[in-house]
Amino acid sequence: MVDITHEIAPQDVRAGGLALARSAQYLAPGVVLAVVDPGVGSNRRAVAVEIAEPTQASSVLVGPDNGLLAPAVAMVGGASRAVELTADKYHLASSGPTFAGRDIFAPVAAHLCLGAVLDDVGTPIDIASLTPAMVPMSRTEGNQIQAEVLWIDRFGNVQLNLDPDEVQPFGDTIRVTVRGVAHKARRVNIYSDLAHSGVHSGELGVLVDSYGLVAIVVSRGSAALELNCIEGDSVMVEPGDSSASTFVKLQSKRSD
């Protein structure tokens, strides 16, 4: 049994979906239980989604059909089939409809682990009808890219929804604007490229993180605090110029 996280903020379906997607490529075949469910008790469906490669054992994701499972499904190449969890005999008796994680999702996941098959626990549904991911796309207008803060990890690194190739044409310097404040950018490979004598300098940097996305970082400090940003904030990225206020470094290839 692998416990991925219990640290998703309440009701933050997008953060839960991203956390699941980051983990998907490292999980062994099996049953994955995922619950971030602000629509519990509503008409949103409870589902189990099977992912199976032709030469590999299958995995089943169990959770609400609210976009939570979609990023992980996409990350591993799509679903092979899905069911709505309509078989009540695999659920716990409940005095109310607002604890589906305990009364529906967890019991179904347990029965699947014990040998139940997908057709036992629910009714087949069209995989194309599953709610899509809630992951924002960047938008390019001229020489500017409108990006978004996808994730801030516990170190304060600020991951953007940008592929390194999107900013490669900007060269060695870029300008990052967050909440109206501009920050000049240069390239680095690793966090310590920003350190001065092994101490926190407050200098911002941008590198390609371990998931292959552009991230704003600070060596021995929090980029989120330096930028005064939160997940979901808009970030304008464009070629740098001398009017920007602080320096951020950027690399185009993963350093590991």
Side-chain angles (χ1 to χ4, degrees):
M1 182 178 293
V2 177
D3 181 5
I4 297 173
T5 181
H6 281 91
E7 301 301 320
I8 302 302
Q11 293 90 50
D12 196 340
V13 175
R14 188 183 76 165
L18 290 170
L20 189 59
R22 294 184 189 103
S23 304
Q25 60 185 314
Y26 304 109
L27 298 176
V31 178
V32 178
L33 171 64
V35 184
V36 182
D37 195 15
V40 62
S42 70
N43 61 358
R44 69 93 187 91
R45 296 180 297 189
V47 297
V49 182
E50 182 184 69
I51 302 165
E53 295 292 338
T55 60
Q56 298 178 357
S58 65
S59 292
V60 177
L61 279 61
V62 179
D65 181 27
N66 60 2
L68 176 66
L69 307 181
V73 172
M75 178 69 70
V76 297
S80 52
R81 55 186 181 134
V83 300
E84 184 175 1
L85 304 180
T86 55
D88 292 346
K89 71 176 184 177
Y90 292 98
H91 305 171
L92 293 180
S94 172
S95 56
T98 60
F99 203 165
R102 178 194 66 190
D103 300 331
I104 299 175
F105 299 126
V108 167
H111 282 291
L112 290 170
C113 289
L114 290 172
V117 298
L118 216 58
D119 291 335
D120 293 335
V121 300
T123 305
I125 57 176
D126 184 355
I127 58 175
S129 72
L130 294 170
T131 301
M134 302 173 64
V135 179
M137 302 296 292
S138 62
R139 185 177 70 255
T140 301
E141 298 178 357
N143 65 349
Q144 297 179 326
I145 302 176
Q146 188 68 50
E148 186 171 313
V149 177
L150 275 185
W151 180 44
I152 298 174
D153 67 16
R154 69 186 186 93
F155 300 103
N157 299 315
V158 178
Q159 184 186 72
L160 304 180
N161 60 334
L162 290 179
D163 185 277
D165 289 342
E166 294 184 78
V167 294
Q168 180 62 31
F170 294 169
D172 291 336
T173 62
I174 63 171
R175 185 165 70 171
V176 176
T177 303
V178 182
R179 299 192 175 197
V181 180
H183 305 269
K184 195 173 182 180
R186 302 184 276 117
R187 296 178 184 267
V188 292
N189 294 323
I190 55 177
Y191 301 106
S192 60
D193 288 345
L194 295 167
H196 296 278
S197 302
V199 299
H200 169 59
S201 67
E203 183 182 14
L204 290 169
V206 177
L207 49 70
V208 178
D209 68 13
S210 59
Y211 299 99
L213 295 175
V214 171
I216 305 175
V217 303
V218 170
S219 181
R220 303 172 185 264
S222 169
L225 289 178
E226 297 286 346
L227 293 170
N228 187 30
C229 69
I230 60 174
E231 292 177 1
D233 271 354
S234 177
V235 180
M236 181 68 73
V237 180
E238 57 192 321
D241 60 44
S242 59
S243 65
S245 60
T246 58
F247 286 96
V248 183
K249 299 183 178 182
L250 176 69
Q251 76 159 43
S252 61
K253 294 183 179 179
R254 190 182 302 185
S255 59
D256 58 357

